[in-house]
Amino acid sequence: MQNEFQVGAVASVHGIKGEVKVFPTTDEPEKFRNLKSVTLKTEKEEREIKLQSVKFFKNMVIVKFEGIENPEEAQKYRGATLWIPREAAVPLKQNEYYQADLIGLSVFAEDGAELGTLTDVLETGANDVYEVTLPDKKTVLLPAIKDCVKSVDPEGGRMVVHVMEGLLDLATPKKNG
C-alpha cells in the first residue's frame, strides 16, 4: 500500500506573484483548501513546501507556495508533481479504497484460480471498471460492483472476483499506451 498519494501536477506559471496552475490528480480538488503543505517532486529534487494560498479557476487549482515570489522562481517547478501523506488523504468509507492501493493487486476467481493483476481503474459514469491483465498479456474488464468483486484485501495484495460466464472469452490484447 502506498504511503503517499499524488494530488496534482504543476502545469504552468500563473501571474506575476509566483503562483502556479496545478492540474489536480485527485477526484476531490477542494481538498487543496485544507492542505498546509505538499511534497513537491521534480527530476532534481524532492522537498516539502508550504501552501500560502489556494484558489480555483475552471478545472485548475491556483497555488501560491511559500517562498516563491516571482514567475521565474515558479517556472522551475513546471511539471513537478505534488504529493501528500496517506494521513492527509480524504478518509475512506466502508468498502472504499484508494485507486493507488488497488493497482498491482493479484486477482483471483472464487475457486482460487489466479486470473492476473489489476493494472488500471477506469472511471465510468455508473461504476468503476477494473482492468485485469491476464498471464497471456490480454486484458479483461471487470465491473467494480458487489456482484462481481467479492473481496478486496489491499494489505494482503489480493482481490477475489466472481467471473461471469463468457467474460474471459472477451479478453483482448493489451494496448500499449
Side-chain angles (χ1 to χ4, degrees):
M1 292 188 16
Q2 292 195 348
N3 293 323
E4 61 181 0
F5 300 116
Q6 183 180 342
V7 293
V10 177
S12 63
V13 173
H14 178 79
I16 60 170
K17 297 179 182 174
E19 294 173 310
V20 293
K21 284 185 185 177
V22 173
F23 178 77
T25 56
T26 172
D27 41 344
E28 295 200 28
E30 289 291 322
K31 177 74 173 172
F32 273 87
R33 289 193 196 284
N34 301 323
L35 294 177
K36 304 281 186 246
S37 66
V38 295
T39 300
L40 186 104
K41 295 183 182 183
T42 69
E43 290 181 10
K44 298 179 182 171
E45 71 175 311
E46 179 176 321
R47 70 180 233 193
E48 186 167 336
I49 191 163
K50 292 184 179 182
L51 278 63
Q52 188 173 319
S53 69
V54 172
K55 55 189 175 186
F56 300 88
F57 181 72
K58 295 186 180 180
N59 65 336
M60 302 296 266
V61 182
I62 309 298
V63 176
K64 172 76 171 87
F65 295 119
E66 197 171 275
I68 297 178
E69 304 302 327
N70 60 56
E72 293 76 27
E73 291 176 50
Q75 181 63 29
K76 294 189 300 190
Y77 297 106
R78 188 166 180 238
T81 53
L82 308 179
W83 298 77
I84 60 169
R86 175 180 282 276
E87 305 80 53
V90 174
L92 296 173
K93 297 175 187 149
Q94 187 173 4
N95 296 322
E96 285 187 337
Y97 306 94
Y98 296 115
Q99 287 183 4
D101 289 340
L102 297 177
I103 305 296
L105 291 182
S106 296
V107 180
F108 294 85
E110 291 172 295
D111 65 5
E114 186 168 3
L115 295 177
T117 304
L118 195 149
T119 50
D120 201 1
V121 177
L122 310 171
E123 296 179 36
T124 68
N127 55 267
D128 288 349
V129 174
Y130 297 149
E131 179 187 74
V132 177
T133 300
L134 308 175
D136 64 3
K137 302 298 181 213
K138 289 185 176 180
T139 61
V140 65
L141 300 177
L142 302 172
I145 57 175
K146 65 181 178 182
D147 289 342
C148 185
V149 179
K150 295 304 180 183
S151 69
V152 179
D153 179 9
E155 291 91 359
R158 63 185 286 133
M159 175 185 290
V160 176
V161 299
H162 170 72
V163 180
M164 294 177 236
E165 190 173 327
L167 185 67
L168 295 179
D169 298 334
L170 301 174
T172 59
K174 177 127 177 114
K175 293 181 176 142
N176 294 330

